[in-house]
């Protein structure tokens, strides 16, 4: 049976999820297509809005005070402050009490497993006791079998960053014999056994040395584990967000998809979108083409939201011939000279970091002349160009704000 919806959203990350939710709330029938598992499963779980300006100024105390300083092509300048605030409101509705930070516009400073401090607008409750603005001395705990987190080194980096408290780091043996390459979920499951929680607390206690709070890598998947460790140690216990794989990101993805299910969004996962069909005038997209076992199938809709990510997410491709958007072949501005894409400095101003679609006010993709390419396609998330989300620490905020506008506009256009 041919698949036909009012709105099709392509991409299962934060921007795609929010776009699908907002479109569904207009009363439209919505299908979300995701090639692989949600990229949220590999994210830190932190929600950043704006930590640094494009020139590197920061960390920024209040992101909303800095929005007017962003260039006109920045996605925040396109959608406006109201959309950024509404995006955060939608996020707060989705996660409920899972997250903190909604009480203030001010960025929180969250230590990461690399020993850096990240400005972020929302953070899981399990992270709250570790904020860098808290002056209580801190002990970080790593495990010999978990090579991704070097607790002593992270403590040194935090101290070098000038945090207002004493930091220590210790590596202890995990209370259960796991392989060095064990999945982080196995660590988390093992800690749910009371005997392991008790043994871990015993191993850490002798290293407290005056520490007033204790941080572990983010694998205390159950609040009961964190609470039990805190009770046994007599100190607040918190999780330290890290890179993929991420249990904090996994928990956020699960909550988002539960919300989509409750909203009646149809989800097709594990299938890539490889192209599109248009009407006779090439002004409207009539269907996207989905690859299922080597055969393409059209998914029809009245409106489409493209939320496939940037260069990292493969929503933008580069090769010797240039920079392309692979599904709708949208225009991506870039220099013909590849050497102009990069800066000679590792942390310099790389133009490739801002590659992406140039959106209209309604987030429709535009061509080299500024004309809308397809009136019924909208872009959301890091496929939208104009922001260096990695250096600005703005990826989540851009996804929330553009996902909200793209999804709402698509639904209201039905």
């Amino acid at each position: 049976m041919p698949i036909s919806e009012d709105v099709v959203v392509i991409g299962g990350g934060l921007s795609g999820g929010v776009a699908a939710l907002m479109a569904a709330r207009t009363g439209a029938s919505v299908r979300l297509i995701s090639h692989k598992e949600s990229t949220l499963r590999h994210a830190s779980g932190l929600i950043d809005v704006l930590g640094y300006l494009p020139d590197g100024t920061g960390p920024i105390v209040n992101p909303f005070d800095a929005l007017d300083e962003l260039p006109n092509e920045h996605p925040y300048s396109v959608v406006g402050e109201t959309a950024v605030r509404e995006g955060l409101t939608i996020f707060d509705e989705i996660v409920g009490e899972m997250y903190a930070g909604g009480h203030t516009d001010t960025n929180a400073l969250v230590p990461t497993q690399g020993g850096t401090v990240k400005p972020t607008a929302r953070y899981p409750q399990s992270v709250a006791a570790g904020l860098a603005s808290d002056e209580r001395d801190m002990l970080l705990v790593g495990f010999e079998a978990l090579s991704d987190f070097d607790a002593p080194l992270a403590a040194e980096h935090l101290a070098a960053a000038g945090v207002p408290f004493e930091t220590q780091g210790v590596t202890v043996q995990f209370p259960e014999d796991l392989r060095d390459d064990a999945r982080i979920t196995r660590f988390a499951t093992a800690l749910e056994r009371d005997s392991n929680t008790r043994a871990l607390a015993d191993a850490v206690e002798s290293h407290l040395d005056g520490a007033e709070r204790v941080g572990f890598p983010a694998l205390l998947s159950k609040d009961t584990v964190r609470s039990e460790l805190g009770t046994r140690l007599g100190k607040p216990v918190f999780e330290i967000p890290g890179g993929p794989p991420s249990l904090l990101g996994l928990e956020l993805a699960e909550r988002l998809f539960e919300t989509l299910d409750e909203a009646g969004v149809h989800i097709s996962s594990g299938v890539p979108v490889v192209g599109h069909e248009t009407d006779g005038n090439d002004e409207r997209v009539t269907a996207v083409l989905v690859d299922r076992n080597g055969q393409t199938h059209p998914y029809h809709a009245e409106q489409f939201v493209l939320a496939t990510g940037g260069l990292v997410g493969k929503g933008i491709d580069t090769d010797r011939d240039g920079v392309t958007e692979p599904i709708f072949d949208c225009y991506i501005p870039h220099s013909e000279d590849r050497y102009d894409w990069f800066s000679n400095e590792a942390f310099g101003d790389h133009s490739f970091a801002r590659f992406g679609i140039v959106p209209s006010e309604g987030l429709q993709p535009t061509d080299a002349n500024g004309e809308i390419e397809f009136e019924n396609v909208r872009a959301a998330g890091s496929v939208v160009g104009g922001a260096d989300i990695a250096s600005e620490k703005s990826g989540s905020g851009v996804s929330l704000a553009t996902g909200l506008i793209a999804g709402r506009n698509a639904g209201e256009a039905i």
Side-chain angles (χ1 to χ4, degrees), residues 79 226 238 269 276 281 308 345:
V79 299
R226 183 163 51 88
F238 60 93
S269 60
H276 70 283
N281 297 322
T308 45
E345 300 178 7

Side-chain angles (χ1 to χ4, degrees), residues 40-45 94-95 98-99 124-127 188 192 218-223 226 239 246-258:
L40 280 175
R41 298 166 64 96
H42 306 289
S44 67
I94 293 171
V95 299
M98 281 178 59
Y99 273 67
Q125 292 282 4
S126 62
V127 169
E192 293 176 18
L219 46 74
L220 313 180
S221 62
K222 301 291 185 183
D223 288 343
R226 183 163 51 88
E239 292 187 299
S246 165
L247 289 184
L248 296 177
L250 177 62
E251 291 167 355
L252 176 56
E254 289 178 346
R255 185 69 194 99
L256 175 61
F257 276 76
E258 287 173 1

